[in-house]
Amino acid sequence: MNYDLYHELNKNISFARATSEYIMHPNQLNPQGSIHGGELIKIMDMVAGIVARKHSRGMVLSKRLDDIVFHKPVYLGDLVTVIGQLIYVGRSSMEIMVQIYRTKVSDSLDPELVVSGFVTMVHLVDDTPSQVPGLVVNSKEERILYELGKKRHQEIREKLMNSK
């Protein structure tokens, strides 16, 4: 069979996803007794970087973090699941939606959304922004995510142009 499944799937929007899980530790606490927001943003950035590297197959750099919302606190011992999903690709940039879910391991509750946001990553070759592969959208759900990413990309570009 002469079909490169790995590379064919890599063109698909569903493939450009990463999930990671962490247990929250005492060194991540803030003075209020919950996990420091900066720790959660760091985790979001790392997972977005994994998504972007998978898609671009190269070095990436965080360009911007947007619309980060802390829905609920995260506490010591909580299990957090971080999901990063590529939703749009520009010429050299990639828009990644990242969500963090908390599971209280002690009482086995269903995961609940605690943080959400977007990370824009840029693909670099020799420290220069470089072309990334396009996306193939295969389902209704993927189309919704793609349109969200496209709209965000256009809004950000307009905002940057108007600020000059």
Side-chain angles (χ1 to χ4, degrees), residues 57-130:
R57 298 182 204 99
M59 295 302 299
V60 295
L61 174 71
S62 302
K63 180 71 173 176
R64 65 188 285 135
L65 286 81
D66 289 306
D67 297 331
I68 295 175
V69 178
F70 293 91
H71 303 279
K72 296 182 179 186
V74 177
Y75 296 102
L76 178 65
D78 284 351
L79 170 67
V80 296
T81 302
V82 187
I83 302 169
Q85 173 69 59
L86 180 64
I87 62 171
Y88 184 77
V89 170
R91 191 189 78 72
S92 62
S93 65
M94 295 160 278
E95 182 80 9
I96 297 135
M97 180 170 60
V98 184
Q99 296 180 329
I100 299 179
Y101 293 84
R102 168 185 80 182
T103 303
K104 293 182 180 181
V105 178
S106 60
D107 48 16
S108 300
L109 293 177
D110 287 331
E112 54 186 342
L113 181 65
V114 292
V115 185
S116 60
F118 296 88
V119 180
T120 303
M121 306 294 284
V122 176
H123 176 232
L124 299 176
V125 174
D126 297 327
D127 295 328
T128 303
S130 299

Side-chain angles (χ1 to χ4, degrees), residues 41-60:
I41 291 172
K42 178 181 174 183
I43 292 170
M44 292 175 78
D45 188 46
M46 287 190 313
V47 169
I50 292 168
V51 172
R53 284 193 75 162
K54 283 174 68 174
H55 183 73
S56 68
R57 298 182 204 99
M59 295 302 299
V60 295

